[in-house]
């Protein structure tokens, strides 16, 4: 949890990082909010909950919910980076339910996320295995442990699902409450202001999927939806590529949430 130099009663922002992100990566996004007077909580889901034990992810974010409870006087904004951020957000709501409580933010930022349910291809699996390896190294595994773990993931999650696809069967993926995080987010009824960043050149989150499958549902389920589409910026790179527009859009959104009745 981090606070700006001059803390005001602006929203508390909970940032959920992408797979492979470092604390330094995520802190750059947090700084955008802190420069605007917001306190932040920044969290990156450990790799083991992303690829193999997703059904237990709510346990990993239990401390995040406890920290949020210390700021009940503040409105809250959740900022999800990539689909791992969405998965973490889903886990947070379940962590609250496990305590017989409800977590409902006052605003949501969808950033490089709400992509389609994964379909396994061998090139995609090679990329995901590499991301998994880097993530496990970041989590503190030794080189040999990370290699073994990634090889197991390639076999169990990649190759076996590739065979299922050839057989015409649906990919088997780990998820919470038997609901894939992308479907959970698509159908989530919030009635709060939302903001979505996406790009026409994001190879992980196809813009056509966003526009045909996700935007209509979010417009129906949110109080309002601000759409910020970029022509050229890579996955989770909108801040880096379009810094001025990105920061201004975030600042305006924070103010709209703060003033929303």
């Amino acid at each position: 949890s981090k606070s700006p130099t001059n803390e005001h009663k602006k929203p508390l922002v909970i940032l959920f990082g992408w797979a492979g992100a470092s604390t330094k990566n995520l802190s750059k996004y947090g700084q955008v909010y802190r420069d605007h007077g917001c306190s932040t909580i920044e969290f990156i889901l450990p790799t083991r909950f992303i690829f193999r034990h997703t059904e237990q992810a709510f346990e990993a974010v239990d401390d995040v919910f406890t920290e949020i409870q210390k700021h009940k006087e503040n409105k809250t904004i959740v900022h999800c980076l990539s689909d791992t951020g969405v998965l973490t957000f889903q886990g947070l709501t379940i962590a609250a339910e496990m305590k017989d409580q409800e977590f409902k933010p006052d605003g949501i930022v969808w950033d490089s996320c709400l992509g389609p349910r994964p379909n396994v291809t061998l090139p995609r699996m090679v990329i995901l295995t590499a991301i998994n390896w880097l993530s496990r190294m970041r989590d503190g595994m030794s080189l040999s442990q990370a290699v073994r773990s990634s090889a197991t993931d390639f076999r169990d999650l990649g190759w076996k699902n590739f065979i299922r696809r050839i057989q015409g069967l649906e990919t088997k993926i780990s998820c919470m409450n038997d609901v894939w995080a992308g479907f959970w987010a698509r159908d989530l009824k919030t009635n709060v202001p939302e903001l979505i960043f996406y790009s026409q050149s994001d190879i992980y989150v196809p813009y056509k999927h966003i526009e045909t499958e996700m935007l209509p549902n979010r417009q129906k389920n949110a109080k309002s939806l601000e759409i910020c589409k970029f022509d050229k910026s890579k996955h989770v790179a909108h801040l880096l590529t379009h810094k001025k527009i990105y920061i201004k859009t975030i600042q305006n959104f924070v103010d709209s949430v703060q003033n929303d009745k």
Side-chain angles (χ1 to χ4, degrees):
S1 179
K2 301 179 181 179
S3 300
T5 304
N6 296 307
E7 185 176 4
H8 303 289
K9 291 301 180 183
K10 288 208 172 182
L12 170 70
V13 181
I14 303 101
L15 294 113
F16 291 134
W18 63 96
S22 66
T23 54
K24 182 178 180 181
N25 295 148
L26 191 55
S27 185
K28 291 177 181 178
Y29 288 84
Q31 194 62 50
V32 172
Y33 289 100
R34 289 190 294 276
D35 286 345
H36 197 55
C38 299
S39 297
T40 63
I41 295 173
E42 301 165 15
F43 181 82
I44 303 167
L45 190 67
T47 310
R48 65 184 180 276
F49 297 110
I50 301 172
F51 295 98
R52 301 191 67 86
H53 304 294
T54 304
E55 72 280 357
Q56 301 171 12
F58 68 91
E59 298 176 1
V61 291
D62 185 70
D63 288 345
V64 175
F65 181 69
T66 300
E67 185 66 26
I68 292 170
Q69 292 296 94
K70 298 176 184 178
H71 301 265
K72 290 184 177 181
E73 72 279 5
N74 294 81
K75 288 188 173 183
T76 56
I77 294 174
V78 170
H79 187 138
C80 300
L81 286 143
S82 192
D83 284 338
T84 297
V86 176
L87 188 160
T88 313
F89 180 21
Q90 181 189 18
L92 179 63
T93 64
I94 295 173
E97 290 172 3
M98 297 295 288
K99 297 177 181 291
D100 294 323
Q101 298 185 58
E102 180 184 26
F103 175 69
K104 183 179 179 182
D106 300 284
I108 303 171
V109 179
W110 309 106
D111 190 337
S112 299
C113 58
L114 304 182
R117 192 178 192 276
N119 285 321
V120 175
T121 64
L122 290 183
R124 179 182 288 270
M125 201 56 217
V126 169
I127 293 172
L128 289 176
T129 301
I131 293 172
N132 189 5
W133 174 71
L134 290 170
S135 299
R136 291 183 186 279
M137 291 288 289
R138 184 209 67 198
D139 288 348
M141 277 191 177
S142 67
L143 176 61
S144 60
Q145 288 175 322
V147 168
R148 285 197 300 270
S149 176
S150 298
T152 300
D153 284 344
F154 182 85
R155 181 195 66 200
D156 293 345
L157 305 178
W159 182 252
K160 290 182 178 179
N161 272 321
F162 181 68
I163 298 300
R164 287 179 61 83
R165 185 181 181 189
I166 292 175
Q167 296 171 339
L169 301 174
E170 190 176 62
T171 302
K172 277 189 174 182
I173 55 176
S174 179
C175 54
M176 287 175 279
N177 290 346
D178 295 321
V179 179
W180 179 62
F183 293 160
W184 172 83
R186 178 195 64 193
D187 301 329
L188 181 65
K189 298 185 186 301
T190 65
N191 196 34
V192 301
E194 298 185 12
L195 165 65
I196 183 167
F197 291 106
Y198 70 104
S199 171
Q200 198 162 320
S201 55
D202 188 334
I203 63 173
Y204 296 103
V205 182
Y207 75 95
K208 289 185 178 179
H209 172 80
I210 294 291
E211 293 175 349
T212 59
E213 300 295 329
M214 292 300 176
L215 293 187
N217 282 281
R218 294 316 318 141
Q219 288 169 329
K220 179 176 64 176
N221 292 319
K223 183 174 185 178
S224 62
L225 179 67
E226 182 178 354
I227 299 169
C228 188
K229 177 183 178 182
F230 298 113
D231 291 331
K232 294 183 179 179
S233 52
K234 296 179 181 178
H235 191 63
V236 293
H238 308 319
L239 171 60
L240 177 66
T241 310
H242 306 282
K243 188 172 183 178
K244 289 184 179 179
I245 297 174
Y246 187 97
I247 291 175
K248 186 62 177 176
T249 303
I250 287 291
Q251 290 175 341
N252 289 341
F253 182 72
V254 168
D255 292 343
S256 71
V257 171
Q258 180 68 19
N259 296 326
D260 186 56
K261 302 298 182 182

